[in-house]
Amino acid sequence: MRKYFLYLSNEFNRFWQIEVLISSCTISITEGRVGTFGKVTNRVCASEKEALKEAVMMAYEKQREGYFEGQEGFIKRYELPRLLKESLLTERTFIVRDRK
């Protein structure tokens, strides 16, 4: 399982990626500013099922914080085109308001 999330704001753009390595029951998290390699953190779990469950909970928590799911490599540069950034910010704001 691999998921990629983005957070866009006027000050900075961040990414957060989670990947579950089934063979070693490891969760690999990469996070940082868009356009950088980011910081990698690994967490070992007792079983495959536990690793998947924890990864889903972590991904859900990121969505609650305002991150939205995207595709890896979708945004390669730090600065986004102005119209794209505005549309993504308004879409994210709409979703957050819809949850309240």
Side-chain angles (χ1 to χ4, degrees):
M1 174 186 122
R2 175 188 257 176
K3 295 200 178 246
Y4 188 83
F5 294 92
L6 293 165
Y7 181 84
L8 304 175
S9 71
N10 290 328
E11 293 94 36
F12 58 86
N13 305 316
R14 298 191 60 83
F15 73 93
W16 187 82
Q17 176 181 308
I18 188 164
E19 182 177 6
V20 177
L21 306 169
I22 302 294
S23 59
S24 59
C25 299
T26 304
I27 300 172
S28 178
I29 300 165
T30 308
E31 58 187 324
R33 286 187 175 222
V34 172
T36 65
F37 291 114
K39 180 180 86 170
V40 179
T41 309
N42 293 318
R43 183 180 291 178
V44 179
C45 296
S47 69
E48 201 177 293
K49 187 176 179 181
E50 183 182 322
L52 287 170
K53 182 179 176 182
E54 190 170 337
V56 169
M57 292 301 292
M58 292 170 82
Y60 176 73
E61 185 62 35
K62 282 296 176 185
Q63 288 177 326
R64 286 184 53 203
E65 292 174 7
Y67 284 73
F68 66 93
E69 190 168 356
Q71 293 179 346
E72 185 177 2
F74 175 68
I75 300 172
K76 293 191 181 244
R77 292 179 39 188
Y78 182 74
E79 271 305 313
L80 301 173
R82 185 180 55 80
L83 293 175
L84 174 63
K85 190 172 188 176
E86 287 174 3
S87 68
L88 290 173
L89 283 171
T90 55
E91 181 181 331
R92 182 176 58 102
T93 304
F94 175 75
I95 291 171
V96 170
R97 287 183 187 158
D98 192 36
R99 287 183 185 169
K100 288 184 180 178

